[in-house]
């Protein structure tokens, strides 16, 4: 799955009806690397510079999907800390999403939020300065766009 720029996504979203979209805003003072993993194919990590947005349409995969976020391009292969934005999606019916970590945590003293876009109803998961407990939120009302904000304003 390829991430796209916010402008490209807005243009595509305006022109066709589609499933929900996942947005990631890197509000940190450093770049991060994104790898969307679902099933057996593992694409190359994509760079998300500080202050940038990325997005990808939600897609169904029998095992669910994890967007893995690291501070280095090869972080998911080198036992570096990995932030997981995970979701499982069934078109028009349900969406389950959550945050978790693997091999450490690279966002100490930073606020992370994952939830619906501003103004939409749904549960927002907030980690403020440290990893929170593994928690999976659910949305059973059909389609919903999600926003992961890295280094959100406190």
């Amino acid at each position: 799955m390829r991430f796209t720029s916010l402008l490209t996504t807005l243009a595509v979203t305006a022109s066709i009806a589609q499933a929900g979209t996942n947005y990631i805003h890197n509000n940190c003072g450093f770049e991060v690397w994104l790898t969307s993993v679902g099933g057996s194919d593992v694409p190359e990590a994509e760079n998300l510079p500080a202050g940038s947005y990325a997005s990808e349409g939600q897609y169904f995969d029998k095992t669910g999907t994890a967007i893995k976020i690291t501070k280095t391009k090869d972080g998911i292969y080198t036992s570096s800390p990995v932030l997981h934005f995970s979701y499982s999606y069934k078109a028009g019916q349900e969406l389950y999403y959550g945050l978790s970590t693997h091999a450490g945590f690279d966002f100490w003293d930073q606020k992370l939020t994952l939830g619906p876009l501003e103004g939409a109803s749904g549960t927002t998961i907030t980690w403020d300065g440290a990893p929170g407990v593994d928690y999976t939120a659910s949305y059973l009302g059909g389609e919903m766009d999600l926003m992961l904000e890295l280094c959100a304003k406190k």
Side-chain angles (χ1 to χ4, degrees), residues 36-39 59-67 86-89 96:
S36 184
V37 179
Y59 60 95
F60 174 74
D61 187 298
K62 294 175 192 158
T63 61
T65 303
I67 301 172
S86 302
Y87 71 94
S88 180
Y89 164 76
Y96 297 90

Side-chain angles (χ1 to χ4, degrees), residues 37-65:
V37 179
S40 60
D41 293 336
V42 180
E44 187 173 325
E46 296 189 35
N47 182 261
L48 184 60
S52 298
Y53 285 86
S55 66
E56 81 170 10
Q58 294 168 356
Y59 60 95
F60 174 74
D61 187 298
K62 294 175 192 158
T63 61
T65 303

Side-chain angles (χ1 to χ4, degrees), residues 49-117:
S52 298
Y53 285 86
S55 66
E56 81 170 10
Q58 294 168 356
Y59 60 95
F60 174 74
D61 187 298
K62 294 175 192 158
T63 61
T65 303
I67 301 172
K68 299 182 178 206
I69 302 162
T70 61
K71 283 188 171 180
T72 60
K73 184 175 183 176
D74 61 352
I76 66 171
Y77 305 108
T78 61
S79 298
S80 296
V82 179
L83 177 68
H84 288 245
F85 163 10
S86 302
Y87 71 94
S88 180
Y89 164 76
K90 186 168 184 184
Q93 295 180 28
E94 57 197 38
L95 173 67
Y96 297 90
Y97 56 97
L99 285 176
S100 61
T101 61
H102 174 74
F105 187 65
D106 262 346
F107 295 91
W108 292 106
D109 300 321
Q110 303 297 323
K111 183 176 181 180
L112 308 176
T113 60
L114 171 61
L117 297 181

